[in-house]
Amino acid sequence: MINKTNSVRLAIIGLGYVGLPLALEFAKKKSLIGFDVNKKRVKELNSGIDTNLEFKKKELKTKKKIIFTYSENDLKSANCYIITVPTPVNKIKNPDFTSLIEATELIGKYIKKKDIIIYESTVYPGCVEELCVPILEKFSNLKYNQDFFCGYSPERINPGDKKHTISNIKKITSGSTPKIAKIIDDLYAEIITAGTHKAPSIKVAEAAKVIENTQRDVNIALINELSMIFNKLEIDTHEVLNAAETKWNFLPFKPGLVGGHCIGVDPYYLTYKAKSINYNPKIILAGRDLNDNMGNYVALQLINKMKKKKIKIKGAKILIMGLTFKENCADLRNSGIQGVIKKLRKYECKISLHDPWANNNEIKKKYGIFPKTKFVNNTYDAVLIAVAHKKFKKLGFQTILKSCKKTNVIYDLKYLFRSSQVNLKL
């Protein structure tokens, strides 16, 4: 039985954007196992390479207490497992539990009496005890809250953010019994300098996580709708928001494409559960629908502006700058730019792509276009600046302008440059 955190033998399952930083932070305090089924990923980490560009070789190599492995055998020595696998949605926007189920089945084969399994993956309220626990019981032949115990501590990782790192973001914790809840809370308190919040139940912790990004999604949807209204009124949305933000309680949300593995996904986990209990969520789904369709809106704005400038649409050369779901990170998952590209292709435009953060081969795999790495003068009819990478700001507006033909449209979604310099802003 784990009575104190110093008796914890930790294994972290999943070494992506959540699992790797968590493993590296815990490795400052204790020896642990970092497990991933992706052999290529494990081999890269053992060589000091993080293809997500979140950690440098030195940061990976100095963590002597961590064992990166894809061997299931190595899991036998652990007594506490933290599962950090992705929980995306499928094509019809229902939760895809494939990775979660597979990880749970895997751990179920190795857990022993008195072991603890902690989930960090985003789920709907009740998922750990309704979906995961029965799998653990089946594969282990052990009884929940008698032979093994569970906890939930939702991830709060912000990819690309070097200020709000794992240790200085407050952490929600929970456990399946009061005693286990305290052990889990004490465990995370070892690495979270910002402090922890011990929720009264696993369900409360699950619900708290899923509403964090649902709230943000709804607020961004409101601002996106306002930007549509202001564009029709020929009012600069950015200037309106600057004025409104002078009031102390105005929330500083910005319009834009909404993607990623949090805001663009988490609300669907809540609405999925709501529908299962015969409640049809209205505001949440309305916000999701509006944000999901922002790609179409952005593409049409660009096309209409090009038409006004008498630029031939079919065959027009358009450069899209920024393909990741947010600035200064390499994550292409669920990027809002997908909708823009899909719409522009229907107009038979010739699309070029550029992103200094994302892996070029991954871009080619995802979009069928190998990205441009250099800017060639007098090439493009239009440029869409879709992501606020610092490297774009450093590149400078003149370099972007020189890459355009004499008659052009520059659409700055992220307000990187002055309104007087560009033709369109969201």
Side-chain angles (χ1 to χ4, degrees):
M1 177 69 178
I2 301 171
N3 292 309
K4 294 183 179 180
T5 58
N6 59 12
S7 61
V8 167
R9 298 188 303 278
L10 192 60
I12 292 175
I13 315 302
L15 297 172
Y17 282 94
V18 175
L20 180 60
L22 186 67
L24 292 175
E25 201 63 40
F26 268 120
K28 295 175 183 178
K29 301 290 184 180
K30 59 175 84 261
S31 298
L32 68 129
I33 297 159
F35 176 88
D36 201 296
V37 293
N38 186 333
K39 293 182 180 181
K40 183 173 180 286
R41 173 71 166 164
V42 171
K43 288 176 181 177
E44 287 171 347
L45 292 175
N46 278 320
S47 299
I49 299 168
D50 174 23
T51 52
N52 291 341
L53 305 181
E54 293 293 306
F55 297 96
K56 296 178 180 178
K57 188 171 186 177
K58 184 180 178 182
E59 294 174 288
L60 294 172
K61 282 294 188 181
T62 55
K63 312 301 177 187
K64 296 178 181 178
K65 291 184 175 181
I66 187 168
I67 299 171
F68 295 120
T69 182
Y70 51 78
S71 173
E72 293 183 16
N73 250 2
D74 291 330
L75 297 173
K76 291 178 180 178
S77 62
N79 60 8
C80 182
Y81 303 85
I82 300 180
I83 295 177
T84 62
V85 297
T87 44
V89 291
N90 59 25
K91 290 181 179 180
I92 59 170
K93 306 299 184 183
N94 281 335
D96 180 354
F97 293 117
T98 304
S99 294
L100 187 70
I101 291 170
E102 288 175 352
T104 302
E105 289 175 349
L106 171 67
I107 296 308
K109 293 188 293 184
Y110 293 102
I111 58 172
K112 305 166 293 299
K113 285 192 174 183
K114 310 306 178 185
D115 282 2
I116 298 173
I117 304 91
I118 305 167
Y119 289 86
E120 287 215 2
S121 306
T122 300
V123 292
Y124 61 79
C127 182
V128 167
E129 290 169 304
E130 295 169 7
L131 177 66
C132 301
V133 165
I135 295 172
L136 291 170
E137 288 185 323
K138 176 184 175 182
F139 279 79
S140 67
N141 289 317
L142 299 174
K143 189 71 176 172
Y144 178 52
N145 274 348
Q146 179 179 311
D147 299 320
F148 71 90
F149 306 88
C150 287
Y152 185 76
S153 182
E155 61 89 3
R156 280 179 167 173
I157 301 293
N158 193 24
D161 190 338
K162 302 306 178 185
K163 180 180 178 183
H164 301 100
T165 56
I166 188 168
S167 63
N168 57 33
I169 301 175
K170 198 161 190 171
K171 197 86 159 72
I172 298 171
T173 67
S174 64
S176 55
T177 71
K179 185 175 181 178
I180 295 302
K182 185 180 188 312
I183 292 170
I184 292 172
D185 192 68
D186 289 344
L187 177 65
Y188 280 103
E190 289 185 352
I191 64 167
I192 308 296
T193 56
T196 60
H197 174 88
K198 188 167 59 175
S201 69
I202 288 175
K203 276 188 180 181
V204 167
E206 290 168 324
K209 169 58 181 177
V210 82
I211 70 164
E212 288 174 15
N213 289 313
T214 300
Q215 183 188 63
R216 291 172 65 200
D217 192 40
V218 170
N219 275 289
I220 295 169
L222 170 63
I223 301 300
N224 276 336
E225 188 165 64
L226 292 174
S227 74
M228 295 175 184
I229 295 169
F230 295 143
N231 284 335
K232 284 184 173 291
L233 294 172
E234 298 183 350
I235 299 172
D236 188 319
T237 303
H238 186 56
E239 295 300 335
V240 173
L241 294 176
N242 282 343
E245 284 171 18
T246 59
K247 189 164 188 274
W248 76 91
N249 60 353
F250 184 84
L251 300 176
F253 287 93
K254 306 293 183 186
L257 300 172
V258 181
H261 55 283
C262 290
I263 301 179
V265 172
D266 294 1
Y268 288 120
Y269 276 75
L270 185 56
T271 57
Y272 170 84
K273 183 61 177 177
K275 288 177 180 178
S276 75
I277 55 171
N278 297 317
Y279 181 82
N280 185 35
K282 300 173 181 64
I283 293 175
I284 298 170
L285 286 175
R288 268 289 73 230
D289 183 62
L290 193 145
N291 284 338
D292 272 348
N293 284 291
M294 281 303 290
N296 279 343
Y297 176 76
V298 166
L300 287 174
Q301 270 203 311
L302 180 60
I303 292 296
N304 290 335
K305 191 69 172 180
M306 290 168 68
K307 285 179 177 177
K308 285 182 180 179
K309 286 201 163 192
K310 302 190 184 311
I311 297 171
K312 185 181 177 183
I313 304 303
K314 186 177 180 179
K317 293 183 177 180
I318 300 175
L319 174 65
I320 296 177
M321 297 177 62
L323 305 166
T324 58
F325 86 92
K326 63 174 288 187
E327 66 277 4
N328 309 318
C329 86
D331 196 347
L332 290 167
R333 291 177 300 170
N334 301 320
S335 171
I337 202 64
Q338 293 178 76
V340 179
I341 293 172
K342 185 178 180 181
K343 190 70 174 178
L344 290 177
R345 278 177 164 160
K346 290 183 178 179
Y347 284 91
E348 299 181 61
C349 301
K350 292 183 179 179
I351 299 168
S352 295
L353 306 174
H354 172 69
D355 196 305
W357 274 91
N359 181 282
N360 289 338
N361 291 324
E362 289 298 316
I363 293 172
K364 174 71 166 62
K365 183 179 177 182
K366 190 173 184 66
Y367 294 107
I369 302 170
F370 196 84
K372 302 291 183 182
T373 55
K374 293 182 180 179
F375 285 76
V376 181
N377 290 350
N378 195 36
T379 302
Y380 301 108
D381 296 290
V383 174
L384 173 64
I385 306 167
V387 184
H389 290 320
K390 288 180 181 177
K391 292 179 181 179
F392 291 163
K393 189 75 172 177
K394 188 176 180 181
L395 181 71
F397 180 76
Q398 287 304 314
T399 300
I400 298 169
L401 181 62
K402 286 177 184 177
S403 73
C404 295
K405 296 176 183 176
K406 187 174 181 181
T407 303
N408 62 74
V409 174
I410 298 178
Y411 190 172
D412 183 5
L413 278 183
K414 304 303 291 186
Y415 304 97
L416 279 182
F417 303 104
R418 296 194 304 273
S419 296
S420 59
Q421 291 178 303
V422 301
N423 306 102
L424 272 175
K425 288 199 173 190
L426 192 56

